[in-house]
């Protein structure tokens, strides 16, 4: 399934040969202009063509593909290519138009775990920050296989990728959130937190925080399902992202104590205090080189302690909540020069941190 497309190297050489930046660009002949426009348009046409070819493969029964020598690895490679194409919102929406969305969703039920995981990853790319494709997936009943895989798939990678796709599907999507809640999604998230897989726990914690921020009334449900006890345990995790996610979730629930969601028992409260004190003790003996890496965690521990016990933590007394210099605004990194390079001139150039500033060439002009 080799890719076909315009000869970009040849196009680059042609454009450089016809404009070196030292003289006024010559007028293009009608023949050159036609060739150039066809080369530029071929990229878009080729992407749609490739997506149609991939759709045809996805629509072909597995037994036929096997007879033709197509392996599961070939299917994974094909889905990798499809994922590259649908990173463009227009292409993501066009996938449904050319009939490729439903076959892709069917791959979520494939007997091969790697294909199920890859299909979920492609769906996640399609619906991320894309209300139109979110609705298309909902209309195609795509949430059902994602939920099924998230809840009960025997492969933890499939469960993790499915959770990632669900998270992208329901973000800023009120009907999606409602469907997730009705499908007992919170109970599934609780089970995910009890997993031993760190990546699975991270994704679950991120989605929980988003949901209770968007729907504060759900704090009561989350508390009744026993999330605070599980999150308290996760504060002791060796993974810093899991610890931070658990602390954020506990902080969101603690802020809601003014409502009716304070169903914690005295034992749970004492356990939380013990765990927080242990984190404070561990942070207090960390070296000055390691402290900056857990800046957010230090602030969360202090904020959670203050919110829960109405007093500052001992981290504040020791000056470990905000270290000298951390309260200074850091200028954002310069990403514009990398993000907005001309694709013809910069796409194949490897990045090199040792590059030194050099004199800029005159703009490359491709037309009169």
């Amino acid at each position: 399934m080799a890719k076909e497309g315009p000869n970009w190297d040849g196009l680059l050489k042609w454009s450089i040969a016809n404009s070196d930046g030292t003289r006024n660009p010559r007028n293009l002949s009608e023949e050159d202009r036609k060739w150039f426009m066809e080369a530029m348009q071929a990229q878009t046409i080729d992407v749609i063509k490739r997506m149609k070819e991939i759709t045809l493969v996805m629509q072909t029964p597995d037994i036929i593909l096997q007879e033709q020598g197509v392996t599961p690895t070939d299917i994974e490679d094909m889905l990798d290519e499809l994922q590259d194409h649908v990173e463009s919102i227009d292409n993501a929406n066009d996938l449904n138009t050319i009939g490729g969305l439903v076959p892709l969703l069917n791959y979520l039920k494939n007997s091969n775990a790697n294909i199920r995981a890859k299909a979920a990853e492609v769906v996640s790319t399609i619906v991320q920050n894309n209300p139109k494709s979110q609705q298309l997936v909902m209309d195609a009943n795509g949430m059902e296989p994602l939920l099924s895989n998230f809840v009960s798939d025997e492969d933890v990678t499939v469960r993790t990728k499915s959770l990632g796709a669900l998270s992208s599907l329901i973000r800023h999507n009120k009907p999606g959130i409602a469907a997730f809640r009705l499908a007992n999604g919170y109970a599934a998230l609780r089970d995910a937190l009890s997993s031993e897989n760190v990546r699975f726990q991270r994704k679950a914690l991120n989605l929980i925080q988003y949901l209770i921020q968007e729907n504060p009334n759900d704090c009561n449900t989350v508390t009744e399902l026993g999330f605070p006890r599980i999150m308290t345990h996760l504060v002791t995790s060796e993974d810093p992202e899991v610890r931070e996610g658990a602390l954020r979730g506990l902080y969101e629930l603690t802020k809601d104590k003014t409502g009716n969601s304070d169903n914690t028992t005295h034992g749970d409260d004492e356990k939380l205090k013990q765990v927080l004190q242990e984190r404070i003790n561990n942070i207090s003996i960390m070296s000055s080189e390691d402290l900056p890496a857990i800046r957010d965690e230090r602030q969360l521990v202090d904020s959670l302690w203050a919110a829960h016990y109405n007093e500052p933590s001992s981290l504040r007394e020791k000056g470990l909540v905000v270290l000298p210099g951390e309260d200074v605004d850091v200028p954002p990194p310069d990403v514009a020069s990398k993000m907005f390079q001309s694709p013809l001139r910069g796409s194949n150039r490897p990045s090199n941190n040792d590059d030194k500033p050099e004199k800029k060439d005159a703009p490359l002009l491709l037309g009169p």
Side-chain angles (χ1 to χ4, degrees):
M1 302 186 70
K3 298 182 181 179
E4 298 178 357
N7 183 356
W8 290 109
D9 290 337
L11 181 60
L12 175 61
K13 293 176 181 178
W14 179 88
S15 61
I16 292 176
N18 285 275
S19 179
D20 61 5
T22 61
R23 63 182 185 275
N24 293 330
R26 68 176 180 84
N27 292 332
L28 298 178
S29 67
E30 188 60 31
E31 182 180 358
D32 286 341
R33 187 186 303 278
K34 181 180 179 181
W35 175 85
F36 177 74
M37 293 305 298
E38 289 178 352
M40 293 296 291
Q41 294 172 0
Q43 179 68 3
T44 301
I45 295 172
D46 183 64
V47 168
I48 299 301
K49 177 184 176 183
R50 288 295 299 157
M51 289 173 59
K52 288 181 178 179
E53 292 172 349
I54 291 172
T55 294
L56 181 61
V57 174
M58 293 192 296
Q59 292 172 336
T60 304
D62 289 344
I63 188 171
I64 302 298
L65 294 177
Q66 292 172 6
E67 291 174 355
Q68 296 182 4
V70 178
T71 67
T73 301
D74 294 329
I75 300 296
E76 291 177 56
D77 293 341
M78 179 191 72
L79 291 175
D80 275 328
E81 181 186 345
L82 180 60
Q83 185 172 5
D84 289 338
H85 296 324
V86 297
E87 285 179 354
S88 161
I89 289 181
D90 290 337
N91 291 342
N93 295 335
D94 285 342
L95 183 64
N96 180 70
T97 303
I98 64 177
L101 181 60
V102 171
L104 172 64
L105 296 176
N106 288 337
Y107 269 157
L108 295 170
K109 307 172 186 177
N110 194 276
S111 60
N112 185 285
N114 291 338
I115 293 177
R116 295 197 302 273
K118 177 53 66 176
E121 197 171 356
V122 178
V123 172
S124 181
T125 301
I126 289 173
V127 299
Q128 188 172 19
N129 300 319
N130 188 345
K132 181 177 180 179
S133 280
Q134 285 178 334
Q135 187 60 51
L136 290 171
V137 171
M138 295 287 292
D139 292 343
N141 201 28
M143 179 175 276
E144 181 178 345
L146 287 173
L147 277 169
S148 176
N149 290 355
F150 163 47
V151 172
S152 58
D153 199 284
E154 60 186 14
D155 189 284
V156 70
T157 301
V158 176
R159 297 184 69 189
T160 304
K161 298 291 186 181
S162 299
L163 174 55
L166 283 169
S167 181
S168 297
L169 178 61
I170 68 177
R171 282 180 185 266
H172 311 295
N173 177 5
K174 291 183 178 180
I177 292 176
F180 182 81
R181 294 171 74 248
L182 288 174
N184 212 14
Y186 275 121
L189 286 172
R190 179 191 59 193
D191 294 340
L193 293 184
S194 301
S195 166
E196 297 298 324
N197 186 279
V198 170
R199 292 185 62 192
F200 201 25
Q201 292 173 339
R202 291 176 187 168
K203 287 186 178 294
L205 287 166
N206 287 336
L207 183 54
I208 291 165
Q209 182 188 351
Y210 171 78
L211 289 173
I212 59 181
Q213 285 178 337
E214 291 291 308
N215 306 276
N217 291 335
D218 286 356
C219 287
N220 189 44
T221 301
V222 169
T223 302
E224 290 178 349
L225 286 172
F227 278 73
R229 184 176 301 176
I230 301 174
M231 289 179 178
T232 298
H233 172 70
L234 292 179
V235 173
T236 66
S237 171
E238 295 182 0
D239 184 80
E241 291 185 38
V242 170
R243 292 199 306 269
E244 186 177 322
L247 287 166
R248 289 188 187 279
L250 287 168
Y251 182 62
E252 292 295 330
L253 295 176
T254 301
K255 288 193 303 182
D256 190 65
K257 274 191 172 184
T258 54
N260 298 320
S261 65
D262 187 14
N263 297 324
T264 56
T265 65
H266 176 71
D268 292 338
D269 187 77
E270 286 300 313
K271 179 62 176 178
L272 175 61
K273 192 170 187 177
Q274 176 186 346
V275 167
L276 289 177
Q277 187 60 58
E278 289 176 358
R279 284 308 303 155
I280 290 172
N281 294 340
N282 290 335
I283 292 172
S284 300
I285 62 176
M286 291 180 67
S287 67
S288 57
E289 290 81 8
D290 294 332
L291 285 171
I294 59 164
R295 172 184 175 179
D296 291 342
E297 182 181 346
R298 299 190 327 258
Q299 295 176 354
L300 281 167
V301 168
D302 179 70
S303 298
L304 182 56
W305 186 284
H308 209 76
Y309 305 111
N310 298 316
E311 63 180 18
S313 73
S314 57
L315 282 179
R316 187 168 295 276
E317 298 175 1
K318 299 174 183 179
L320 296 176
V321 176
V322 180
L323 301 179
E326 287 184 339
D327 56 341
V328 178
D329 292 335
V330 179
D334 177 19
V335 296
S337 60
K338 297 180 180 180
M339 292 296 293
F340 296 101
Q341 280 186 351
S342 167
L344 293 180
R345 301 183 65 186
S347 60
N348 294 324
R349 183 178 184 270
S351 60
N352 186 350
N353 294 331
D354 296 328
D355 285 351
K356 298 180 180 179
E358 58 185 13
K359 183 178 178 181
K360 294 183 178 179
D361 295 332
L364 180 63
L365 302 178
L366 300 180

